[in-house]
Amino acid sequence: MDNDSKKERGGSEYTSITGTPGMTGGTGAPGNPSTTPHLSLVKGSRQSPEELHDQIRNERISMYVGITGAAGLPGDIEVNDKGEVTSPISDEVEAVLNDLTLKKIDTMGADELKDLIITNNDAINASITDLDAHNGNRAYTVGKALLRVEYIQSSRNLKNGFEDWCEENLKATRLKKRTRQKYMEIARIADATDYVVLGSEKLAGLAPILKKEDGLAPNHPIRSFMERYDISLQTCVDVDEMRFEIGLGMAMAKLGNNKVSVSRDSVRKFLECGFEVTKKDIEAMKAATDTGGDPAKYLERVIKNKQRPTVRTSDANKPPKNFQEQAQEIRDTVASLLKSPSVSKDIQVDRIDALIQDLEALKHRLSGSKDAGSTVDTTADTSASVPPVPPQVPSTPDVDAASNE
């Protein structure tokens, strides 16, 4: 492993899976095996509901003892240097402790409550972050094993051999096909083990993006990707920030692959508001780009409204409107625009021309169906019988905003 690789991966924060005791026995692994954390790989290590209940109960008791100081509890409470309660706690003592904690919370001021909320919420986020990092390791390992099984089964020339094997042997593990494919994609990334702290979900999301990026270093695709999109992990204060920066690079890559040009700062603000760049977002921005609009305005609008544009319906539980209803909605919108003292110049005339052409084509088709003996009635009022066909490209945010004026 070269020094640059060690530096980029944060030094001792990252451990190689090949040095994990219990898998290879440390045979042939360089360095001091005692410095590598031990990972238990015991078959059937799932906890029963009772075991998990007892574990969580012990954690809660330690937490509540820390909040109350155990003042007023019967008997002696023994606590180790980690703040963990080591003495047995009966159900009766636990009930008293729970009551004391609730009373303690009821006497806290706003500042104390703020500290209690932030401390425990930080612990929740940290535990999720840590678990996801560990699962990055596990997902990679499962993926490698699945790839090996796939190779073995394919070499036997059995039709659906791999999937049949998975169905027969992995059904009880609830390892579904989509998850298997995700783990295998992670395992195909050459330098995945250098970045397992990104977590299984982020690695799985990054895998298809790396495939679309031309010219990445074959043996270091993630590192090469970060260099291309100016992602520096050294400046990240924690894992969450690191994952955010990777996510920003992924969003920029998606937009670039779809020929959508938006500033990095605009995308950063969009992500900081809790949104992710989805297929629908890209389609909306492509529509703005294709009609000469500014795709960044779409992001600005979502940020301002704190939600994406949605199709307006009178009842969210109603089935989709039929063509007649859609046609009437368009007529109503046009009528309101015609009554307006001024119409936004951002409305693209060519979009209206495209709609007119689609309507004419549909009218001609319906007329042809009538001549052929169809029961379609085209003699009624056009506003009621001829449904408009929405343009193939979603309407731009600017057009949508103008229709609401």
Side-chain angles (χ1 to χ4, degrees):
M1 185 180 299
D2 56 275
N3 291 332
D4 290 340
S5 177
K6 290 181 181 179
K7 180 180 179 182
E8 183 175 1
R9 294 185 302 144
S12 61
E13 278 189 29
Y14 298 77
T15 56
S16 172
I17 197 167
T18 56
T20 302
M23 287 191 63
T24 63
T27 305
N32 182 1
S34 64
T35 61
T36 304
H38 179 74
L39 298 179
S40 174
L41 298 177
V42 181
K43 183 179 180 181
S45 59
R46 292 181 187 172
Q47 289 181 300
S48 68
E50 292 78 11
E51 291 171 331
L52 186 58
H53 170 79
D54 290 341
Q55 179 183 338
I56 301 304
R57 176 181 182 266
N58 293 338
E59 290 178 2
R60 183 174 60 252
I61 288 172
S62 296
M63 182 192 304
Y64 286 3
V65 166
I67 292 174
T68 63
L73 284 180
D76 295 328
I77 304 296
E78 297 178 7
V79 181
N80 63 18
D81 56 357
K82 296 181 180 179
E84 301 169 337
V85 175
T86 57
S87 56
I89 301 293
S90 66
D91 291 342
E92 292 75 17
V93 173
E94 181 189 4
V96 175
L97 177 60
N98 290 343
D99 187 58
L100 286 173
T101 303
L102 293 178
K103 290 180 179 178
K104 176 69 174 179
I105 292 175
D106 287 342
T107 62
M108 287 181 176
D111 289 340
E112 286 182 293
L113 292 169
K114 174 184 174 182
D115 291 340
L116 181 67
I117 293 169
I118 292 177
T119 299
N120 284 279
N121 190 63
D122 284 349
I124 291 172
N125 293 333
S127 65
I128 293 173
T129 298
D130 291 347
L131 177 62
D132 199 24
H134 287 293
N135 284 343
N137 247 337
R138 298 180 180 111
Y140 173 84
T141 307
V142 171
K144 279 294 185 184
L146 286 169
L147 288 174
R148 176 60 183 171
V149 173
E150 184 181 47
Y151 170 77
I152 293 173
Q153 295 302 112
S154 64
S155 65
R156 297 174 179 174
N157 295 321
L158 298 174
K159 185 178 181 180
N160 298 324
F162 174 63
E163 289 302 327
D164 289 344
W165 185 93
C166 292
E167 180 65 23
E168 179 181 351
N169 294 277
L170 303 178
K171 188 174 182 180
T173 66
R174 290 172 287 186
L175 187 58
K176 297 182 179 180
K177 182 177 180 179
R178 184 176 179 181
T179 305
R180 294 197 300 267
Q181 292 173 340
K182 181 169 68 175
Y183 292 169
M184 292 164 73
E185 285 299 309
I186 293 173
R188 291 187 179 100
I189 303 175
D191 56 348
T193 53
D194 292 347
Y195 301 95
V196 290
V197 292
L198 290 174
S200 58
E201 294 303 318
K202 191 66 73 176
L203 284 172
L206 183 59
I209 295 176
L210 295 177
K211 288 182 178 180
K212 295 180 180 180
E213 292 288 318
D214 296 328
L216 296 180
N219 294 328
H220 297 282
I222 298 181
R223 180 200 298 180
S224 183
F225 174 84
M226 292 194 303
E227 291 172 351
R228 177 171 297 179
Y229 289 96
D230 195 26
I231 303 168
S232 175
L233 301 187
Q234 290 88 343
T235 60
C236 299
V237 297
D238 55 29
V239 176
D240 286 332
E241 184 175 338
M242 180 185 72
R243 290 175 182 170
F244 177 87
E245 292 300 322
I246 290 287
L248 176 58
M250 291 167 60
M252 296 303 297
K254 288 180 184 178
L255 294 171
N257 289 333
N258 284 277
K259 305 295 188 296
V260 176
S261 179
V262 183
S263 73
R264 187 185 186 92
D265 186 56
S266 294
V267 178
R268 177 182 291 277
K269 290 177 181 178
F270 184 76
L271 299 180
E272 285 175 344
C273 289
F275 295 102
E276 291 187 8
V277 176
T278 65
K279 183 179 179 180
K280 289 184 177 180
D281 297 324
I282 293 174
E283 288 176 349
M285 286 187 279
K286 276 181 65 68
T289 300
D290 293 344
T291 56
D294 182 1
K297 287 188 177 180
Y298 170 83
L299 299 180
E300 293 170 2
R301 182 184 175 194
V302 174
I303 293 172
K304 180 180 178 181
N305 296 333
K306 297 182 175 60
Q307 64 179 12
R308 292 180 173 88
T310 56
V311 177
R312 291 175 290 278
T313 60
S314 57
D315 184 352
N317 295 320
K318 288 178 61 177
K321 299 181 180 67
N322 59 33
F323 283 170
Q324 277 77 3
E325 290 175 322
Q326 292 173 333
Q328 190 58 49
E329 276 199 1
I330 291 180
R331 289 201 66 197
D332 292 343
T333 299
V334 172
S336 65
L337 288 173
L338 291 174
K339 293 177 182 178
S340 177
S342 62
V343 180
S344 173
K345 64 181 180 180
D346 291 332
I347 296 180
Q348 304 294 320
V349 176
D350 58 345
R351 302 281 290 177
I352 300 176
D353 291 337
L355 177 59
I356 292 173
Q357 291 175 5
D358 288 341
L359 290 174
E360 288 291 347
L362 181 60
K363 181 178 178 181
H364 178 74
R365 183 174 180 180
L366 290 173
S367 298
S369 299
K370 180 185 177 184
D371 294 340
S374 171
T375 58
V376 176
D377 180 11
T378 59
T379 60
D381 180 26
T382 303
S383 65
S385 62
V386 180
V389 178
Q392 295 300 312
V393 184
S395 60
T396 67
D398 295 339
V399 172
D400 195 22
S403 65
N404 291 326
E405 291 181 353

